Amino acid sequence: MDMAFVEVCLRMLLVFVLSWTIFHVTNRKKKKATKLADVATEERKEGGPDVIIVGAGVGGSALAYALAKDGRRVHVIERDMREPVRMMGEFMQPGGRLMLSKLGLQDCLEEIDAQKSTGIRLFKDGKETAACFPVDTNFPYEPSGRFFHNGRFVQRLRQKASSLPNVRLEEGTVRSLIEEKGVVKGVTYKNSSGEETTSFAPLTVVCDGCHSNLRRSLNDNNAEVTAYEIGYISRNCRLEQPDKLHLIMAKPSFAMMYQISSTDVRCNFELLSKNLPSVSNGEMASFVKNSIAPQVPLKLRKTFLKGLDEGSHIKITQAKRMPATLSRKKGVIVLGDAFNMRHPVIASGMMVLLSDILILSRLLKPLGNLGDENKVSEVMKSFYALRKPMSATVNTLGNSFWQVLIASTDEAREAMRQGCFDYLSSGGFRTSGLMALIGGMNPRPLSLFYHLFVISLSSIGQLLSPFPTPLRVWHSLRLLDLSLKMLVPHLKAEGIGQMLSPTNAAAYRKSYMAATVV
């Protein structure tokens, strides 16, 4: 047989097989898409949800309540409905409490043994100072924060959300988003019985935290690990000043102590290296006792060591930062730590999240059809701009404040560190103004720039004292350069145009910082 003829036959056979395969795969995908669309349509006819929320933490639960109060049918899918055990999200700033009250959720801080916070107690090199939240401002709410067990607060939020008849709270693990022509239509998830099932809605909100697996397919932003937070609880004890967050400017970074219940004190500290001592073999406990505890003021040291001596479980979590970007896809919104993160040193994550939820729920309220992709896209653009006065101010402050707290042998860096301590110790407008920013009571970017500028100038003044020398001038110039290096990258990440927009600032203050409470 002619080999050329055989070769032609084989090629024709190969083309036929490939064509048949492509046809059937394409046809199968079309049938699957049609089937999913039919299921989605059927769910809508049967009173399916208007919104699917992935995650029932602080954000997911609060958003579910806010949307359901506006008449939306909400399906919340949470991986684990048991009370969370976390060491983050244990302090709510005054600004966060204001947002919580505007959402109608202020009672969720009741009956969880939450402790009142009036400010910070700061320690450095044997000296200490107190910085309180200002009481003589235009802030329209009680100027105090709250310490609490995060899990208790989350459970209260879940109970509040599920008390509404149009909220369905279900335990399940979301596997993937269901997409059709670039539009998210719903989710595939495994329920508590282990069965894989689907849920469809015009809008899906991903609110599943800093370890979100869904975020990667929706946003271009990547989370940067900045440090490691190590913490434990000292039980059956009470701080001498339980209404203060005790911040110790230690080495290599900071340590903290605060009263999360009437009998429990959270003790935590930060390490910068990835090579952490092992918790399981006792290396971490020994490290804390030998390296961190000696830097804790003597009057706090007994409480700081009590948890270790009693074998309290040591937890380690990553501190991350990640600028916010809008989702590339339609039909889906990302919120919370899956959307935006900043260093946790000023405990502002929940405050920004609750502010975001308040803005978003109000913008979505007039929309009759959440399936209108163009209108939802316009809402998200407005949301992204309106959130900037609060989010950009807090993000920039949190990340900059953390960098200042890191100990260093560099004279310029240490001068800035000392300058920050002196600034908070000075009292008057300086202290009250900076504390209003930290507490989310005055989220104005221009106010932030003013305080950062004055801290830098006062630190330079200390460096040049008692009289300038060439070396002191050199260190002063380096300090100014360090200040700019700390600030400029955050401004670029936040978008300086939107951050400084007077229109956005005025709209935010008028709509979200006003005295009206739900």
Side-chain angles (χ1 to χ4, degrees):
M1 185 180 291
D2 184 41
M3 291 302 296
F5 176 74
V6 173
E7 186 176 347
V8 170
C9 290
L10 288 174
R11 285 181 179 178
M12 290 177 65
L13 179 62
L14 181 60
V15 169
F16 173 77
V17 171
L18 287 173
S19 300
W20 183 87
T21 303
I22 292 171
F23 172 77
H24 279 276
V25 169
T26 305
N27 194 45
R28 193 179 301 125
K29 286 183 177 180
K30 286 182 179 178
K31 287 182 178 179
K32 184 178 181 181
T34 303
K35 184 179 179 181
L36 290 175
D38 290 342
V39 172
T41 303
E42 194 61 32
E43 280 198 14
R44 297 296 302 149
K45 287 180 180 178
E46 295 176 0
D50 299 301
V51 183
I52 297 167
I53 299 177
V54 182
V58 172
S61 301
L63 180 63
Y65 181 82
L67 294 178
K69 287 287 283 184
D70 292 337
R72 311 286 188 188
R73 297 187 297 270
V74 185
H75 183 191
V76 187
I77 306 171
E78 164 60 35
R79 182 179 57 83
D80 189 350
M81 293 299 295
R82 292 174 297 181
E83 183 176 307
V85 180
R86 298 185 62 204
M87 69 172 183
M88 294 293 194
E90 295 177 325
F91 179 35
M92 185 172 290
Q93 299 281 10
R97 291 185 60 225
L98 173 64
M99 300 301 149
L100 198 70
S101 70
K102 285 178 173 288
L103 290 166
L105 294 166
Q106 64 271 24
D107 58 333
C108 291
L109 284 173
E110 299 172 2
E111 300 178 10
I112 60 171
D113 199 15
Q115 304 294 298
K116 183 177 180 178
S117 166
T118 60
I120 298 173
R121 196 83 191 167
L122 195 61
F123 301 84
K124 184 180 186 295
D125 300 331
K127 297 180 180 179
E128 65 178 273
T129 188
C132 297
F133 298 121
V135 296
D136 55 346
T137 66
N138 294 323
F139 184 65
Y141 203 66
E142 182 197 2
S144 65
R146 292 292 184 272
F147 302 117
F148 46 81
H149 281 273
N150 174 269
R152 296 177 186 176
F153 178 54
V154 169
Q155 292 300 85
R156 287 281 286 150
L157 287 171
R158 289 173 178 174
Q159 292 165 9
K160 184 86 170 183
S162 60
S163 68
L164 299 179
N166 46 337
V167 174
R168 178 189 173 198
L169 195 57
E170 181 182 8
E171 185 168 275
T173 303
V174 174
R175 299 294 193 187
S176 61
L177 300 173
I178 298 171
E179 296 181 42
E180 183 183 332
K181 297 179 181 179
V183 180
V184 174
K185 297 294 185 179
V187 298
T188 300
Y189 67 102
K190 185 173 285 189
N191 61 25
S192 56
S193 301
E195 301 168 336
E196 191 157 296
T197 185
T198 56
S199 182
F200 296 89
L203 184 63
T204 299
V205 182
V206 175
C207 200
D208 56 347
C210 62
H211 300 294
S212 174
N213 292 320
L214 302 176
R215 178 182 67 226
R216 297 182 184 89
S217 65
L218 299 171
N219 291 342
D220 295 322
N221 50 354
N222 293 312
E224 175 193 359
V225 177
T226 57
Y228 297 86
E229 309 301 317
I230 299 96
Y232 53 90
I233 295 175
S234 290
R235 302 189 185 279
N236 300 314
C237 52
R238 193 160 178 83
L239 294 169
E240 185 178 316
Q241 292 182 297
D243 63 328
K244 297 290 191 296
L245 186 149
H246 296 67
L247 179 60
I248 301 139
M249 298 176 76
K251 298 176 181 178
S253 189
F254 63 86
M256 277 186 184
M257 298 174 69
Y258 48 94
Q259 195 85 40
I260 57 174
S261 76
S262 55
T263 58
D264 294 343
V265 174
R266 167 66 70 188
C267 306
N268 80 297
F269 60 95
E270 179 177 88
L271 294 179
L272 306 175
S273 172
K274 293 181 180 179
N275 301 317
L276 302 176
S278 171
V279 173
S280 58
N281 63 12
E283 287 180 3
M284 181 63 79
S286 297
F287 173 80
V288 177
K289 291 178 180 179
N290 297 326
S291 300
I292 304 298
Q295 301 182 69
V296 175
L298 194 60
K299 64 181 180 180
L300 300 173
R301 199 173 301 167
K302 182 178 178 181
T303 301
F304 190 80
L305 289 170
K306 190 173 188 292
L308 292 175
D309 294 336
E310 294 178 352
S312 179
H313 177 61
I314 299 174
K315 293 181 67 68
I316 299 176
T317 189
Q318 296 174 331
K320 298 179 180 181
R321 61 184 174 193
M322 183 180 70
T325 58
L326 292 177
S327 172
R328 300 188 302 266
K329 297 177 181 176
K330 295 183 178 181
V332 63
I333 296 171
V334 186
L335 282 182
D337 283 348
F339 173 57
N340 185 202
M341 287 181 276
R342 78 293 305 153
H343 193 279
V345 65
I346 62 170
S348 56
M350 285 188 294
M351 178 170 65
V352 173
L353 173 57
L354 293 170
S355 173
D356 284 352
I357 290 170
L358 184 64
I359 295 169
L360 183 62
S361 61
R362 289 188 178 181
L363 290 174
L364 289 174
K365 188 173 182 178
L367 298 188
N369 177 20
L370 296 180
D372 189 327
E373 297 151 15
N374 293 326
K375 286 187 177 180
V376 172
S377 294
E378 288 302 312
V379 161
M380 290 309 298
K381 289 176 184 177
S382 299
F383 162 76
Y384 191 70
L386 276 172
R387 72 185 296 269
K388 284 296 178 180
M390 171 65 85
S391 65
T393 300
V394 168
N395 291 346
T396 304
L397 176 59
N399 291 328
S400 300
F401 190 50
W402 164 69
Q403 288 177 285
V404 169
L405 288 178
I406 297 173
S408 175
T409 55
D410 183 286
E411 195 165 340
R413 283 186 175 275
E414 184 54 34
M416 189 181 296
R417 195 167 180 251
Q418 183 63 46
C420 183
F421 179 86
D422 293 341
Y423 195 83
L424 283 169
S425 303
S426 61
F429 171 75
R430 290 183 171 189
T431 301
S432 63
L434 188 54
M435 287 302 293
L437 282 168
I438 290 173
M441 303 164 68
N442 180 31
R444 301 188 186 193
L446 288 176
S447 180
L448 168 65
F449 295 157
Y450 168 80
H451 287 286
L452 293 180
F453 180 70
V454 174
I455 289 173
S456 298
L457 282 185
S458 60
S459 300
I460 288 172
Q462 288 293 326
L463 271 177
L464 294 174
S465 180
F467 57 87
T469 64
L471 183 59
R472 287 171 179 167
V473 171
W474 168 244
H475 285 313
S476 298
L477 291 173
R478 288 185 58 251
L479 189 151
L480 184 61
D481 181 59
L482 285 169
S483 300
L484 292 173
K485 285 180 178 177
M486 285 182 185
L487 187 60
V488 171
H490 301 309
L491 297 182
K492 288 182 178 179
E494 295 295 337
I496 191 165
Q498 288 180 320
M499 187 175 178
L500 296 180
S501 167
T503 305
N504 292 341
Y508 185 84
R509 287 196 300 273
K510 181 180 179 180
S511 300
Y512 306 106
M513 297 296 291
T516 305
V517 176
V518 176

